[in-house]
Amino acid sequence: MAGLISITVTAIFTLNIFLAIALIFLERRDPTATWAWLLVLFFVPFFGFFIYLLFGRKLGKKHLFRWEGKNRIGIETLIDYQIEAIEKGTFDFRLDDTAHYQDMIYLHLRNNHAVLTQDNDVQVFNDGVAKFDALLHDLENAKDHIHFQYYILRLDALGNRILDVLIKKAKQGVKVRVLFDDIGSRGLRIRHLKELIDSGGEVAAFFPAILPLINPRLNYRNHRKIVIIDGRIGYVGGFNVGDEYLGHDKRFGYWRDTHLRIEGSALHPLQTRFLLDWNQASDRDDIIYAERYFPAIPRKGSVGLQIVSSGPDAEWEQIKDGYLKMIFLAKEYIYIQTPYFIPDISFLDALRIACLSGVDVRIMIPNKPDHMFVYWATYSNVGKLLKAGAKVYIYENGFIHSKQIVVDDELSTVGTANIDVRSFKLNFEINAFIYDREKSHELAELFEQDMQLSTELTYEMYLNRTRWIKIKESVSRLLSPIL
């Protein structure tokens, strides 16, 4: 018996060594993530191996999107034109608000092929009831197609209300496609949407498990929330589909989020993003360019914006780069709302430098965790910025899930990307970057209203936190690169 135990311990120790070697020399990870995984292997030598297999493996090229080598549908020529026009100084910026940020626009064009559109009407929602009332109304009026993508799709009261409308529209001949994330929508299976499929709808799951409870791509999730109706109306932002997003979950209470309803030419890049995701996930023939998906759109407004996406299929962290560029450009203030604040050192340094340069940096986080380690890592990181002069607000009116940044009443972003390593490197995300004084001011006013429902965390309060909180912060901080 003793010999068997000795052999087992030796085997586990040897396996850990080989895995550590693979981490250090073969996968070429970020050093902080490497050290975090080495700690997991060291402290949990047997189970750590299986944790790594599920959460730690890098997504190999062969597991990435099947559209490699395909053109980005419908916008290739426009991308090239905009890059060249900005380089030559001949780009037609319709508003000074937009022209002022042409270097950031150029960054997104080169970094993400994110075309600039300047004719959009944008409606901001910060309440789930209002957002889903508007969405249901637009779904009811769909004439040609509905493209519906969410990270979390629950078939509860809200989910079934939406499903009933989708089924009805499919029976009327509207082409309905539903895409959900297999892990985010835990418990939902394609068979649960059989009535929609039987009515003519199509359904796909993103990176589904190969076998029950076994998913080697568990760590790489599609966190995007996109709805496109007839190629003319689009939704993007933080709300998922479920009763808790209407404030019906006692654990979280009121759910504060931010979502956008967009009409205008920004629907073309938003549609492109959905079709690429759909082509990857669906086992049907790929959707190719068709005018029904990219209709001519009459000018609806004057808001300039870029639709920027990021994910592990990209070499660079495009949304994070956009966030950093906003910080670099700030002269007066930076307002940040995020449920998770676990940035890397570059992001923390950028905010610290902004604080020390006299920029009014304000960060709003939740007062309660939906993920314990993430919460205490967030608390630790905002604590680091308090000493530099940042102002931190703990939202008390329920749970804040909003992912938005506003700079100087001129520049803003709303989308799905949190400020953490997971959103920057592991998840497939999407954000709208907005170049408009009126819309950015509206988002800033919403932030200031939320301040009235928050408690300010001062540096003195942070220094007086309990020893137990300090221990939880320390553990969470060590794990933060892999959370």
Side-chain angles (χ1 to χ4, degrees), residues 236-247:
V236 65
F239 282 106
N240 288 292
V241 176
D243 288 346
E244 66 264 41
Y245 305 102
L246 302 178

mmCIF file with all atom_site columns, all heavy atoms in Angstrom, residues 236-247:
data_model
loop_
_atom_site.group_PDB
_atom_site.id
_atom_site.type_symbol
_atom_site.label_atom_id
_atom_site.label_alt_id
_atom_site.label_comp_id
_atom_site.label_asym_id
_atom_site.label_entity_id
_atom_site.label_seq_id
_atom_site.pdbx_PDB_ins_code
_atom_site.Cartn_x
_atom_site.Cartn_y
_atom_site.Cartn_z
_atom_site.occupancy
_atom_site.B_iso_or_equiv
_atom_site.pdbx_formal_charge
_atom_site.auth_seq_id
_atom_site.auth_comp_id
_atom_site.auth_asym_id
_atom_site.auth_atom_id
_atom_site.pdbx_PDB_model_num
ATOM 1  N N   . VAL A 1 236 ? -26.782 46.521 -28.672 1.00 0.00 ? 236 VAL A N   1
ATOM 2  C CA  . VAL A 1 236 ? -25.520 46.012 -28.152 1.00 0.00 ? 236 VAL A CA  1
ATOM 3  C C   . VAL A 1 236 ? -25.298 46.621 -26.772 1.00 0.00 ? 236 VAL A C   1
ATOM 4  O O   . VAL A 1 236 ? -25.642 47.778 -26.523 1.00 0.00 ? 236 VAL A O   1
ATOM 5  C CB  . VAL A 1 236 ? -24.348 46.355 -29.104 1.00 0.00 ? 236 VAL A CB  1
ATOM 6  C CG1 . VAL A 1 236 ? -24.113 47.855 -29.196 1.00 0.00 ? 236 VAL A CG1 1
ATOM 7  C CG2 . VAL A 1 236 ? -23.080 45.628 -28.693 1.00 0.00 ? 236 VAL A CG2 1
ATOM 8  N N   . GLY A 1 237 ? -24.758 45.826 -25.860 1.00 0.00 ? 237 GLY A N   1
ATOM 9  C CA  . GLY A 1 237 ? -24.517 46.333 -24.513 1.00 0.00 ? 237 GLY A CA  1
ATOM 10 C C   . GLY A 1 237 ? -24.358 45.223 -23.509 1.00 0.00 ? 237 GLY A C   1
ATOM 11 O O   . GLY A 1 237 ? -23.937 44.113 -23.843 1.00 0.00 ? 237 GLY A O   1
ATOM 12 N N   . GLY A 1 238 ? -24.719 45.507 -22.248 1.00 0.00 ? 238 GLY A N   1
ATOM 13 C CA  . GLY A 1 238 ? -24.422 44.608 -21.151 1.00 0.00 ? 238 GLY A CA  1
ATOM 14 C C   . GLY A 1 238 ? -25.525 43.667 -20.727 1.00 0.00 ? 238 GLY A C   1
ATOM 15 O O   . GLY A 1 238 ? -25.253 42.654 -20.076 1.00 0.00 ? 238 GLY A O   1
ATOM 16 N N   . PHE A 1 239 ? -26.783 43.974 -21.050 1.00 0.00 ? 239 PHE A N   1
ATOM 17 C CA  . PHE A 1 239 ? -27.896 43.131 -20.613 1.00 0.00 ? 239 PHE A CA  1
ATOM 18 C C   . PHE A 1 239 ? -27.897 41.786 -21.323 1.00 0.00 ? 239 PHE A C   1
ATOM 19 O O   . PHE A 1 239 ? -27.792 41.714 -22.552 1.00 0.00 ? 239 PHE A O   1
ATOM 20 C CB  . PHE A 1 239 ? -29.238 43.810 -20.897 1.00 0.00 ? 239 PHE A CB  1
ATOM 21 C CG  . PHE A 1 239 ? -29.609 44.892 -19.923 1.00 0.00 ? 239 PHE A CG  1
ATOM 22 C CD1 . PHE A 1 239 ? -29.538 46.226 -20.294 1.00 0.00 ? 239 PHE A CD1 1
ATOM 23 C CD2 . PHE A 1 239 ? -30.051 44.588 -18.644 1.00 0.00 ? 239 PHE A CD2 1
ATOM 24 C CE1 . PHE A 1 239 ? -29.892 47.240 -19.419 1.00 0.00 ? 239 PHE A CE1 1
ATOM 25 C CE2 . PHE A 1 239 ? -30.410 45.585 -17.759 1.00 0.00 ? 239 PHE A CE2 1
ATOM 26 C CZ  . PHE A 1 239 ? -30.327 46.919 -18.140 1.00 0.00 ? 239 PHE A CZ  1
ATOM 27 N N   . ASN A 1 240 ? -28.034 40.701 -20.549 1.00 0.00 ? 240 ASN A N   1
ATOM 28 C CA  . ASN A 1 240 ? -28.354 39.384 -21.084 1.00 0.00 ? 240 ASN A CA  1
ATOM 29 C C   . ASN A 1 240 ? -29.868 39.187 -21.024 1.00 0.00 ? 240 ASN A C   1
ATOM 30 O O   . ASN A 1 240 ? -30.609 40.113 -20.678 1.00 0.00 ? 240 ASN A O   1
ATOM 31 C CB  . ASN A 1 240 ? -27.640 38.304 -20.277 1.00 0.00 ? 240 ASN A CB  1
ATOM 32 C CG  . ASN A 1 240 ? -26.148 38.272 -20.527 1.00 0.00 ? 240 ASN A CG  1
ATOM 33 O OD1 . ASN A 1 240 ? -25.695 37.922 -21.612 1.00 0.00 ? 240 ASN A OD1 1
ATOM 34 N ND2 . ASN A 1 240 ? -25.369 38.641 -19.512 1.00 0.00 ? 240 ASN A ND2 1
ATOM 35 N N   . VAL A 1 241 ? -30.322 37.975 -21.327 1.00 0.00 ? 241 VAL A N   1
ATOM 36 C CA  . VAL A 1 241 ? -31.750 37.673 -21.290 1.00 0.00 ? 241 VAL A CA  1
ATOM 37 C C   . VAL A 1 241 ? -32.038 36.784 -20.086 1.00 0.00 ? 241 VAL A C   1
ATOM 38 O O   . VAL A 1 241 ? -31.561 35.649 -19.993 1.00 0.00 ? 241 VAL A O   1
ATOM 39 C CB  . VAL A 1 241 ? -32.208 36.955 -22.579 1.00 0.00 ? 241 VAL A CB  1
ATOM 40 C CG1 . VAL A 1 241 ? -33.678 36.556 -22.470 1.00 0.00 ? 241 VAL A CG1 1
ATOM 41 C CG2 . VAL A 1 241 ? -31.989 37.855 -23.793 1.00 0.00 ? 241 VAL A CG2 1
ATOM 42 N N   . GLY A 1 242 ? -32.814 37.306 -19.149 1.00 0.00 ? 242 GLY A N   1
ATOM 43 C CA  . GLY A 1 242 ? -33.188 36.567 -17.950 1.00 0.00 ? 242 GLY A CA  1
ATOM 44 C C   . GLY A 1 242 ? -33.918 37.478 -16.987 1.00 0.00 ? 242 GLY A C   1
ATOM 45 O O   . GLY A 1 242 ? -33.775 38.707 -17.035 1.00 0.00 ? 242 GLY A O   1
ATOM 46 N N   . ASP A 1 243 ? -34.694 36.898 -16.108 1.00 0.00 ? 243 ASP A N   1
ATOM 47 C CA  . ASP A 1 243 ? -35.495 37.693 -15.187 1.00 0.00 ? 243 ASP A CA  1
ATOM 48 C C   . ASP A 1 243 ? -34.652 38.548 -14.260 1.00 0.00 ? 243 ASP A C   1
ATOM 49 O O   . ASP A 1 243 ? -35.092 39.616 -13.813 1.00 0.00 ? 243 ASP A O   1
ATOM 50 C CB  . ASP A 1 243 ? -36.399 36.779 -14.347 1.00 0.00 ? 243 ASP A CB  1
ATOM 51 C CG  . ASP A 1 243 ? -37.538 36.174 -15.159 1.00 0.00 ? 243 ASP A CG  1
ATOM 52 O OD1 . ASP A 1 243 ? -37.792 36.663 -16.281 1.00 0.00 ? 243 ASP A OD1 1
ATOM 53 O OD2 . ASP A 1 243 ? -38.168 35.221 -14.672 1.00 0.00 ? 243 ASP A OD2 1
ATOM 54 N N   . GLU A 1 244 ? -33.429 38.097 -13.936 1.00 0.00 ? 244 GLU A N   1
ATOM 55 C CA  . GLU A 1 244 ? -32.606 38.892 -13.019 1.00 0.00 ? 244 GLU A CA  1
ATOM 56 C C   . GLU A 1 244 ? -32.255 40.245 -13.611 1.00 0.00 ? 244 GLU A C   1
ATOM 57 O O   . GLU A 1 244 ? -32.018 41.216 -12.876 1.00 0.00 ? 244 GLU A O   1
ATOM 58 C CB  . GLU A 1 244 ? -31.327 38.150 -12.629 1.00 0.00 ? 244 GLU A CB  1
ATOM 59 C CG  . GLU A 1 244 ? -30.337 37.905 -13.744 1.00 0.00 ? 244 GLU A CG  1
ATOM 60 C CD  . GLU A 1 244 ? -30.484 36.526 -14.360 1.00 0.00 ? 244 GLU A CD  1
ATOM 61 O OE1 . GLU A 1 244 ? -31.633 36.075 -14.565 1.00 0.00 ? 244 GLU A OE1 1
ATOM 62 O OE2 . GLU A 1 244 ? -29.451 35.900 -14.647 1.00 0.00 ? 244 GLU A OE2 1
ATOM 63 N N   . TYR A 1 245 ? -32.241 40.328 -14.961 1.00 0.00 ? 245 TYR A N   1
ATOM 64 C CA  . TYR A 1 245 ? -31.904 41.602 -15.608 1.00 0.00 ? 245 TYR A CA  1
ATOM 65 C C   . TYR A 1 245 ? -33.062 42.591 -15.580 1.00 0.00 ? 245 TYR A C   1
ATOM 66 O O   . TYR A 1 245 ? -32.908 43.746 -15.967 1.00 0.00 ? 245 TYR A O   1
ATOM 67 C CB  . TYR A 1 245 ? -31.417 41.327 -17.031 1.00 0.00 ? 245 TYR A CB  1
ATOM 68 C CG  . TYR A 1 245 ? -30.268 40.353 -17.025 1.00 0.00 ? 245 TYR A CG  1
ATOM 69 C CD1 . TYR A 1 245 ? -30.464 39.017 -17.365 1.00 0.00 ? 245 TYR A CD1 1
ATOM 70 C CD2 . TYR A 1 245 ? -29.007 40.747 -16.613 1.00 0.00 ? 245 TYR A CD2 1
ATOM 71 C CE1 . TYR A 1 245 ? -29.425 38.103 -17.305 1.00 0.00 ? 245 TYR A CE1 1
ATOM 72 C CE2 . TYR A 1 245 ? -27.956 39.846 -16.549 1.00 0.00 ? 245 TYR A CE2 1
ATOM 73 C CZ  . TYR A 1 245 ? -28.180 38.525 -16.894 1.00 0.00 ? 245 TYR A CZ  1
ATOM 74 O OH  . TYR A 1 245 ? -27.135 37.622 -16.818 1.00 0.00 ? 245 TYR A OH  1
ATOM 75 N N   . LEU A 1 246 ? -34.203 42.107 -15.111 1.00 0.00 ? 246 LEU A N   1
ATOM 76 C CA  . LEU A 1 246 ? -35.338 42.996 -14.840 1.00 0.00 ? 246 LEU A CA  1
ATOM 77 C C   . LEU A 1 246 ? -35.417 43.341 -13.359 1.00 0.00 ? 246 LEU A C   1
ATOM 78 O O   . LEU A 1 246 ? -36.357 44.008 -12.917 1.00 0.00 ? 246 LEU A O   1
ATOM 79 C CB  . LEU A 1 246 ? -36.649 42.321 -15.277 1.00 0.00 ? 246 LEU A CB  1
ATOM 80 C CG  . LEU A 1 246 ? -36.755 41.912 -16.749 1.00 0.00 ? 246 LEU A CG  1
ATOM 81 C CD1 . LEU A 1 246 ? -38.093 41.216 -17.006 1.00 0.00 ? 246 LEU A CD1 1
ATOM 82 C CD2 . LEU A 1 246 ? -36.607 43.125 -17.658 1.00 0.00 ? 246 LEU A CD2 1
ATOM 83 N N   . GLY A 1 247 ? -34.446 42.878 -12.569 1.00 0.00 ? 247 GLY A N   1
ATOM 84 C CA  . GLY A 1 247 ? -34.430 43.157 -11.141 1.00 0.00 ? 247 GLY A CA  1
ATOM 85 C C   . GLY A 1 247 ? -35.239 42.190 -10.311 1.00 0.00 ? 247 GLY A C   1
ATOM 86 O O   . GLY A 1 247 ? -35.613 42.502 -9.179  1.00 0.00 ? 247 GLY A O   1
#
